[in-house]
Amino acid sequence: MGLFNRLFGRVVRPAPTSPEAVRELLFDAVQSQDDAALIRLCAEHEALLLEHYPAWLMVPESVRKEPTHLQRYGQGLIGIAQCLAQTRNRPEMFQRMMGTPADNPIVRWQETRERANTLMRGLDFEGALSLLTPEAERIQGLSGGNAESMKAMTSGQMAACHFQAGRAETALPLFRQAIDLCRRARDDEGVVVYLENSFEAHRYLGQGGDAAGVARELAVALEQVGQASRARRIRKVAEVVRAGEPLNRVVAQLDSVTLELDELPALIEGRLQFIFCRNRLDLARTTALVERGRELGGEGRYGEALALFQEARRIDSYSPEPRYEGAVTLLHLQRASEAVSWYDEVEALAPGWYRCRAERWLAAGIAAGRIPYGAFTVMRTLELPNLGAEDRLRLTRQAIGEAPGVPELQLQLGRQLTALDRKDEAREALEVGLAQAEEPDIRSRLLIESAADAAPSADRDRMLHEAMEPGGNLVAAAMARVLLHSGTGQRLVH
């Protein structure tokens, strides 16, 4: 019989001599993903498993000391329990291993994290921290399996809560802890996420040198996960930060690729857009309050909107957004003097933010009685997208008749006439505006509008150079730089 078995390739397996030997055979089947062997062994040794499985849940000391052995042991136990439940209708082992949520640290951690995520989405960062802080202490003793990743995610989540609560200095060591844990767990994507957050926390605190160092570290991590283009971008940002990042600057987006102005090619092909780039992120609660305030303002509920902007202004001492929106809202409420002080705060936090300089000039003129309030309401009306070209032209000319010394209205008139292909009249309107414009922001925008359609000439270059002078509109200066560099009169997206 033995010769017959050898000839036909049949192997007689020796019977396991102990429960531990059975366990090792089962673990081998789980590791090799041999489902047929796992099912057969569970069927053959069901009674033994029911008897000894509870004792196996106490992991031997020698196994706990070796991470690879611990991972094999844990996966083996889970595989046996799942097989018994699915193929032998014996769920007791799986239920005993998992325990109740209160007993099982992994289940409890998952539930806690989900509850914390819900609170964070609702912007209750302190509430989320009250759940995460004790949970972080409870999982400190875990090892093997996904323990490092669990600890990393908990630390990262706690760091994000502190950051969004305005405590970036408290968030930084927690972000670094999450980075180190992800590296130990070989979680490259996690390393990228927490390095990005750490970079923003250093920037928020005005720690340019530290931020640049983290940015270089992030660039290496991005390359390791195959994101070479993002790595190139962050290296450039590191240079800007290390040199002393401005509170506010303009960067370019060329076909969705973000570039510093000195990176733009001489020949620009594609869609070019300029966007503002600050040296700090807005906190999530600030953003939410500003968005809701804008909605209320759009409904004409200016008093309610202003209250939200005031709250956002209190929460985030660095953000220009609530101050800018609040200044506009104060103008709607005909409180021009207060609007001027809010515009001053915008300028201090983000010099040149959108049109804050020109709008401040307008608010000061209204407050002093030099400019009628109607000039502001007309300019806001002209921003409505469904207003027809002829209606825009009529409203603008009417406003100029009532407030002839407002160069912003001449800029609007010039744009409307250009859109109607009445270029000679448009040129005259812009020239009138330039003769009136003393405030640098509006003057630089008038210069760009005049130069954009002009043929190359010394006079055109003079206008572009003047548009780049300090104190003017940042987007206008960026446009002038590109037009001078490219030597073309192409239209740019503003």
Side-chain angles (χ1 to χ4, degrees):
M1 186 67 179
L3 176 62
F4 184 82
N5 286 339
R6 286 196 296 273
L7 286 173
F8 286 89
R10 295 174 62 188
V11 178
V12 178
R13 296 179 179 84
T17 57
S18 67
E20 290 71 23
V22 172
R23 184 186 68 198
E24 291 306 309
L25 287 174
L26 286 159
F27 283 4
D28 288 341
V30 172
Q31 288 295 303
S32 62
Q33 299 183 5
D34 189 343
D35 293 340
L38 181 62
I39 293 169
R40 176 179 57 78
L41 287 166
C42 283
E44 290 177 1
H45 302 287
E46 182 177 329
L48 180 147
L49 293 175
L50 293 174
E51 179 183 355
H52 291 280
Y53 194 91
W56 294 345
L57 293 176
M58 299 297 294
V59 183
E61 181 66 26
S62 59
V63 173
R64 288 200 297 268
K65 291 179 178 179
E66 177 52 56
T68 56
H69 293 173
L70 182 61
Q71 184 176 12
R72 176 179 180 273
Y73 195 97
Q75 291 173 344
L77 290 178
I78 293 170
I80 295 169
Q82 289 176 331
C83 184
L84 285 169
Q86 294 169 3
T87 68
R88 306 300 300 168
N89 195 28
R90 301 305 299 254
E92 304 98 310
M93 301 298 98
F94 191 77
Q95 290 169 352
R96 180 159 185 165
M97 185 186 73
M98 295 302 291
T100 64
D103 297 330
N104 188 283
I106 297 175
V107 174
R108 184 181 61 206
W109 172 80
Q110 290 172 333
E111 290 184 349
T112 300
R113 189 164 181 267
E114 288 172 5
R115 288 166 60 201
N117 277 332
T118 300
L119 290 171
M120 290 174 73
R121 285 192 291 270
L123 306 180
D124 184 0
F125 300 108
E126 301 297 352
L129 274 170
S130 71
L131 296 177
L132 293 167
T133 303
E135 189 61 30
E137 295 176 1
R138 279 194 289 266
I139 65 174
Q140 278 307 304
L142 298 181
S143 59
N146 294 322
E148 302 297 313
S149 294
M150 290 168 59
K151 294 174 188 177
M153 284 187 275
T154 306
S155 294
Q157 208 169 358
M158 290 170 62
C161 287
H162 281 296
F163 190 177
Q164 291 299 333
R167 298 187 294 271
E169 68 285 350
T170 306
L172 277 170
L174 288 167
F175 280 135
R176 179 52 62 180
Q177 187 177 72
I179 293 163
D180 294 340
L181 287 164
C182 284
R183 282 179 170 147
R184 288 207 292 270
R186 295 183 174 84
D187 179 4
D188 294 337
E189 295 290 345
V191 170
V192 167
V193 169
Y194 299 125
L195 280 171
E196 288 176 327
N197 282 276
S198 182
F199 170 67
E200 294 298 348
H202 279 298
R203 288 177 83 207
Y204 193 83
L205 292 168
Q207 299 170 351
D210 292 331
V214 173
R216 291 192 294 271
E217 194 178 350
L218 173 58
V220 173
L222 286 167
E223 288 171 339
Q224 290 173 344
V225 296
Q227 298 188 38
S229 61
R230 285 188 64 200
R232 285 193 295 272
R233 172 62 189 156
I234 200 65
R235 279 200 170 91
K236 182 63 177 179
V237 172
E239 293 177 12
V240 175
V241 172
R242 186 174 57 252
E245 187 176 17
L247 296 175
N248 182 39
R249 70 185 190 278
V250 166
V251 297
Q253 280 192 338
L254 182 56
D255 288 340
S256 77
V257 177
T258 302
L259 301 167
E260 299 295 327
L261 297 182
D262 61 8
E263 295 180 290
L264 283 169
L267 179 61
I268 295 173
E269 297 178 350
R271 177 183 171 85
L272 178 64
Q273 186 174 11
F274 295 108
I275 58 175
F276 288 97
C277 181
R278 290 181 54 234
N279 66 328
R280 290 181 174 91
L281 292 179
D282 282 340
L283 300 179
R285 288 166 63 199
T286 302
T287 300
L289 287 166
V290 168
E291 287 178 356
R292 179 56 183 153
R294 285 175 180 151
E295 291 173 4
L296 292 171
E299 297 168 6
R301 297 158 65 181
Y302 298 118
E304 295 172 70
L306 182 62
L308 294 182
F309 297 139
Q310 287 171 326
E311 175 64 9
R313 177 188 183 210
R314 183 192 64 78
I315 289 171
D316 194 336
S317 58
Y318 294 114
S319 176
E321 285 278 15
R323 293 157 174 84
Y324 182 78
E325 296 295 339
V328 174
T329 303
L330 285 164
L331 280 171
H332 277 292
L333 292 168
Q334 301 192 41
R335 293 158 61 180
S337 295
E338 294 174 72
V340 171
S341 66
W342 282 54
Y343 279 124
D344 286 340
E345 290 184 28
V346 176
E347 181 68 13
L349 292 170
W353 186 251
Y354 289 92
R355 294 175 300 188
C356 69
R357 292 168 173 170
E359 289 177 13
R360 185 203 179 282
W361 177 88
L362 181 69
I366 293 172
R370 291 184 289 101
I371 299 172
Y373 178 74
F376 166 73
T377 59
V378 167
M379 283 191 284
R380 299 301 289 188
T381 303
L382 292 173
E383 294 178 4
L384 297 175
N386 57 349
L387 199 63
E390 292 297 336
D391 287 334
R392 289 177 188 277
L393 190 60
R394 177 182 55 78
L395 277 172
T396 304
R397 283 186 162 150
Q398 179 182 332
I400 289 172
E402 296 171 1
V406 180
E408 177 91 32
L409 292 171
Q410 295 293 336
L411 174 63
Q412 293 293 337
L413 179 60
R415 287 176 172 173
Q416 290 151 22
L417 290 167
T418 298
L420 293 169
D421 202 28
R422 295 161 63 174
K423 294 187 177 180
D424 289 341
E425 293 175 75
R427 193 176 303 112
E428 291 175 8
L430 296 174
E431 287 174 357
V432 171
L434 282 169
Q436 296 173 341
E438 296 178 355
E439 195 285 317
D441 181 286
I442 183 60
R443 183 168 183 82
S444 61
R445 288 157 57 208
L446 282 159
L447 287 164
I448 281 294
E449 200 73 24
S450 300
D453 286 324
S457 66
D459 188 52
R460 174 180 177 272
D461 287 353
R462 178 195 58 76
M463 288 191 289
L464 293 175
H465 280 292
E466 185 181 347
M468 294 171 61
E469 291 180 1
N473 184 274
L474 298 186
V475 173
M479 289 181 171
R481 176 174 180 160
V482 170
L483 291 172
L484 282 167
H485 189 52
S486 64
T488 69
Q490 68 186 96
R491 283 279 177 184
L492 307 174
V493 180
H494 181 181

